[in-house]
Amino acid sequence: MTRTGTTTAHLRRALRREVPSTVGLLADERDFAAMRRYRTFAFDDHTTYLRQVEALLRTLATQGGHTTVTLFDPEEYAAWCAETGTDPDHPTSRSHFTAHLATTGARVTYTGQPLTTLLPELVDTAVRQATWEYATTVLATAGDCAGCGKDIGKAAYERAARLLTRLLEAAGPGTHHLVCSVQATDDPLLAVLHTHGTTPPDEAAGPEFTAVLAAGIALAAPGGVVLRTTAPGTPDRLHGWRLAESTLTPLTEAEVFAAYCTDARTGEPLSPEPGVEYRAGHPLAPDPDDDWTTHH
């Protein structure tokens, strides 16, 4: 009898390790306050809620299964409930919505990291996903060029990919950190890329960076690219380019210095970073396949 019960418990634990879990997380006070309008939502205090979520995550981790955490957006939840005819004031509804987010939303794998680490990672993942979705939508809906009939989105992406290749070729060896900013909406689109050497990476960050740059090209939106190169035995080098008229124009050394050493919020000067050289953007080699200005 005891042996059978022990075997059954062991099998259940083994099976539990093969069932993935998803936890929907209310990341900030505003989202938490929005959920308090539902009678069945049990929490009154965001700090207590976060503490209980972290305890739940630790418990799930001890069971050996795979756990992901996703952002629970109350506005998106209310819209989903209205669309599906689901009662929003019910725990089962929140569970079903979280399962929906497991396949559609931004999510991070829980590996035991504290919430102080997990929350910024989750928010950053959500922002990156929203940026990717917006940029790809811009490219997919840009239409065809009235002059040559080419797909503008496709042509812009190809142009952005070539520009990225030329940026890295000009940067040369080392570890490169690139940031692309495009004023395509009320808030700028931002994409970040870490790579080594002169070859663009194949992972998700490469297409994401390229898509944001391409969206700026397709929309003829203002923006820019900054590049920081780190190499052994030399100071870090900072370079910059302005995105205007769908091309990247090198900034001068003074413009790069001003961009990095000015507080974007207040306009006040900032101290230069020690051990860093502020340099003009590299002139980019001509692209023999570039016919953008002719056709677009």
Side-chain angles (χ1 to χ4, degrees):
M1 182 72 176
T2 302
R3 182 178 179 182
T4 301
T6 301
T7 301
T8 300
H10 174 74
L11 291 174
R12 286 177 180 171
R13 285 194 298 271
L15 184 60
R16 179 67 187 85
R17 288 194 293 269
E18 299 186 21
V19 178
S21 300
T22 303
V23 175
L25 178 60
L26 296 162
D28 58 39
E29 292 275 5
R30 186 182 64 177
D31 287 345
F32 179 83
M35 291 303 294
R36 290 192 62 199
R37 61 183 165 174
Y38 299 120
R39 179 186 54 82
T40 57
F41 186 71
F43 293 92
D44 297 320
D45 175 76
H46 190 230
T47 301
T48 302
Y49 163 80
L50 290 178
R51 189 162 54 244
Q52 293 298 321
V53 168
E54 190 161 27
L56 171 62
L57 290 172
R58 287 198 297 265
T59 299
L60 291 172
T62 61
Q63 296 172 355
H66 179 80
T67 301
T68 56
V69 183
T70 184
L71 282 180
F72 194 106
D73 185 325
E75 292 184 5
E76 186 180 347
Y77 172 62
W80 178 83
C81 287
E83 182 181 341
T84 59
T86 303
D87 177 11
D89 197 359
H90 198 284
T92 301
S93 302
R94 293 191 286 274
S95 177
H96 288 171
F97 178 66
T98 300
H100 166 73
L101 292 176
T103 59
T104 62
R107 52 202 177 275
V108 169
T109 300
Y110 178 71
T111 58
Q113 65 269 49
L115 281 188
T116 52
T117 299
L118 188 146
L119 275 173
E121 183 182 0
L122 185 56
V123 171
D124 179 67
T125 300
V127 170
R128 288 181 57 189
Q129 178 169 313
T131 298
W132 168 257
E133 290 175 352
Y134 179 85
T136 53
T137 298
V138 166
L139 298 177
T141 59
D144 297 334
C145 175
C148 67
K150 288 185 177 181
D151 184 315
I152 293 176
K154 181 180 179 182
Y157 189 90
E158 291 172 349
R159 177 178 173 82
R162 293 195 298 268
L163 284 171
L164 175 57
T165 297
R166 289 155 62 200
L167 280 171
L168 294 177
E169 288 175 348
T175 299
H176 307 300
H177 174 84
L178 298 95
V179 179
C180 178
S181 174
V182 172
Q183 292 288 343
T185 61
D186 292 337
D187 296 318
L189 294 176
L190 287 172
V192 177
L193 177 63
H194 298 275
T195 188
H196 303 279
T198 60
T199 303
D202 295 328
E203 62 267 19
E208 179 184 320
F209 185 95
T210 306
V212 168
L213 180 56
I217 292 172
L219 295 171
V225 172
V226 292
L227 179 150
R228 180 174 189 141
T229 296
T230 302
T234 63
D236 283 9
R237 304 185 305 276
L238 299 178
H239 305 267
W241 293 261
R242 179 183 298 106
L243 177 62
E245 298 181 355
S246 302
T247 193
L248 289 176
T249 302
L251 297 178
T252 66
E253 184 176 315
E255 288 173 324
V256 172
F257 182 89
Y260 274 96
C261 299
T262 303
D263 189 305
R265 184 176 59 85
T266 66
E268 295 295 319
L270 300 173
S271 299
E273 188 176 347
V276 172
E277 296 180 352
Y278 301 87
R279 298 186 179 182
H282 302 292
L284 300 183
D287 183 354
D289 297 322
D290 184 11
D291 60 355
W292 182 269
T293 56
T294 301
H295 296 289
H296 306 287

